[in-house]
Structures are given as C-alpha cells and as structure tokens.
Amino acid sequence: AQTVTQSQPEMSVQEAETVTLSCTYDTSESNYYLFWYKQPPSRQMILVIRQEAYKQQNATENRFSVNFQKAAKSFSLKISDSQLGDTAMYFCAFMKHPGAGSYQLTFGKGTKLSVIP
Amino acid sequence: EAQVTQNPRYLITVTGKKLTVTCSQNMNHEYMSWYRQDPGLGLRQIYYSMNVEVTDKGDVPEGYKVSRKEKRNFPLILESPSPNQTSLYFCASSYRILTGQSLYGYTFGSGTRLTVV
C-alpha cells in the first residue's frame, strides 16, 4: 500500500515571498503519478500541478513548480511570488500508473498555507 | 461547462435515516469515485467505479453503498447513517486512461457537508 506524508500541518508566508511545501511518499511501484491539489475556503479541490514519475524534468505551472526526487521519494511544491489567493489547504497525492489497474488517489493529510499581507 | 455536480451541498440528518448524495458528471468519464475528508486525515476513498455496473470498495467502505446504472451518475447511499459518518464528501471523475495516454487527473465536485446527529 502507498502512503503519503506531509510533515508540515501549517505554514505561513509573506505576500510576494517564496514558500516550499514538503511531501514524501512510500511505494514499491516504479511508474506512478504525483499531484498537488489546492483546497481554498470554498472547499473546491483544484489541481495545481502533476508529475509523471518516468519524467526526469520537474513540472512547472506558472508560479508553481515541484522538486521531484524519485530516489528519495520526495515531491515538494514551491510557490513563488505568493499571493493572498494562495491561502488554502494543499494536499499531496499519489496514484499508481493506471496500467496497474488502479485509479485511486492516495492523499496526504494536508498543509494549511496562510499568505500574510 | 465540464463539471461534476454533487447535491446537496449541505445536509443535516438524524441517526438511522437513509439518505442519498447524488453525483453527476457531463464529461463522459468512465471512472468515478467517492472520498470523505476529515480533519487531520486528508481524503480517503470510500468506493469507486471503473464503468457502468462495475463498482468496488475503497479504503473506508463500511456503512456506504453505491450504484452505477448510468455512466454519468454515481450516487452515494447511507442506509443507516451514524454520527461517525459526519464528514465532507467529494465525488470525483476521470477518464479511464489507457497506457501511453496523458493523465489529466480527477475533476472533483464541490463537496457535500454531511452532519449526522
């Protein structure tokens, strides 16, 4: 079974600064996907970024980027130029490759990020 | 607009009174799933469905039922709700990705806040 660990229950960052959220996972799979989801106070689950394990290059989406270290089983999210709208709960999630017959997302417990004006 | 629609958004009920939370998607997704979110626990999968008439248990299925009679609908049924089922529930859907195709991730509904008293 897969596990996902987010070791920072809460974090805060000043507006316009950079913050990094940590995520580690445990799996015996070699092919899988990793995701970061954002949940603002509206509670909508919003996909922020995804990474395919077979890709060496770290994924980037505008101000959001990841540091994917496959050997270390680490998948951190960096938010640059933090904005007030980034205030939310962030979840790291793991999915085995669908070829393995499963589409289940395994989530971490979340990190509550507050952006301070 | 492509979306997953859950109803109701909020629900307060009494112990033992059967209820159904509806979920409908308009993206022709094969895969649908239910999650519950509890503080400090992240999101955990209740049930999932790979296609019409194909359903299976997730990690926390006790006390829940599902059905998939049509591709677009995946209702969650609580036959005899109990207070420990008080939670935030999410329905999600995805394409059933074949090996080699891109993974777009899940689309989540807006959530149903259920309180059982």
Side-chain angles (χ1 to χ4, degrees):
Chain A
Q2 284 63 232
T3 59
V4 177
T5 302
Q6 293 179 248
S7 58
Q8 306 149 315
E10 293 192 40
M11 295 187 72
S12 61
V13 62
Q14 291 290 138
E15 196 175 5
E17 297 294 309
T18 295
V19 64
T20 299
L21 279 59
S22 300
C23 173
T24 59
Y25 58 95
D26 188 26
T27 184
S28 59
E29 303 288 328
S30 59
N31 202 3
Y32 49 86
Y33 298 86
L34 294 161
F35 304 86
W36 279 98
Y37 279 89
K38 170 185 177 180
Q39 187 181 46
S42 67
R43 78 188 190 207
Q44 183 69 40
M45 292 291 286
I46 302 166
L47 178 63
V48 174
I49 200 166
R50 72 173 186 273
Q51 174 81 42
E52 289 94 324
Y54 64 87
K55 289 187 176 179
Q56 300 280 359
Q57 189 173 6
N58 288 325
T60 299
E61 291 286 343
N62 301 313
R63 297 183 295 108
F64 299 88
S65 61
V66 298
N67 183 4
F68 172 50
Q69 302 288 330
K70 190 172 184 179
K73 296 180 181 175
S74 171
F75 182 61
S76 61
L77 174 70
K78 186 172 83 170
I79 306 174
S80 304
D81 186 25
S82 296
Q83 300 175 359
L84 296 178
D86 295 333
T87 292
M89 182 73 83
Y90 287 82
F91 292 99
C92 180
F94 171 100
M95 180 192 287
K96 290 192 289 187
H97 190 281
S102 172
Y103 295 78
Q104 180 179 12
L105 274 173
T106 300
F107 287 88
K109 295 181 179 181
T111 296
K112 185 177 181 181
L113 177 67
S114 299
V115 179
I116 302 165
Chain B
E1 180 188 353
Q3 61 184 355
V4 176
T5 303
Q6 280 181 242
N7 281 298
R9 193 161 168 81
Y10 298 91
L11 179 60
I12 301 174
T13 190
V14 296
T15 299
K17 185 177 181 181
K18 181 179 178 180
L19 67 90
T20 299
V21 184
T22 64
C23 175
S24 180
Q25 50 93 5
N26 62 0
M27 297 163 282
N28 203 37
H29 285 167
E30 297 90 352
Y31 182 80
M32 297 186 76
S33 181
W34 278 102
Y35 285 82
R36 61 177 288 172
Q37 181 182 353
D38 302 290
L41 296 178
L43 284 81
R44 295 175 292 166
Q45 190 180 54
I46 303 170
Y47 267 95
Y48 65 94
S49 169
M50 301 289 271
N51 216 323
V52 176
E53 302 291 2
V54 181
T55 63
D56 207 346
K57 298 176 181 178
D59 294 325
V60 289
E62 294 77 19
Y64 304 95
K65 284 177 57 177
V66 293
S67 68
R68 187 92 182 272
K69 295 184 172 60
E70 304 167 284
K71 196 172 187 178
R72 63 184 292 124
N73 296 323
F74 190 46
L76 179 68
I77 303 157
L78 284 72
E79 295 271 0
S80 182
S82 62
N84 64 11
Q85 292 179 297
T86 292
S87 187
L88 177 60
Y89 291 86
F90 285 99
C91 180
S93 72
S94 171
Y95 288 111
R96 184 173 175 177
I97 307 299
L98 300 177
T99 301
Q101 294 185 3
S102 298
L103 181 68
Y104 299 96
Y106 286 16
T107 300
F108 282 85
S110 298
T112 296
R113 172 74 68 185
L114 172 65
T115 302
V116 184
V117 298

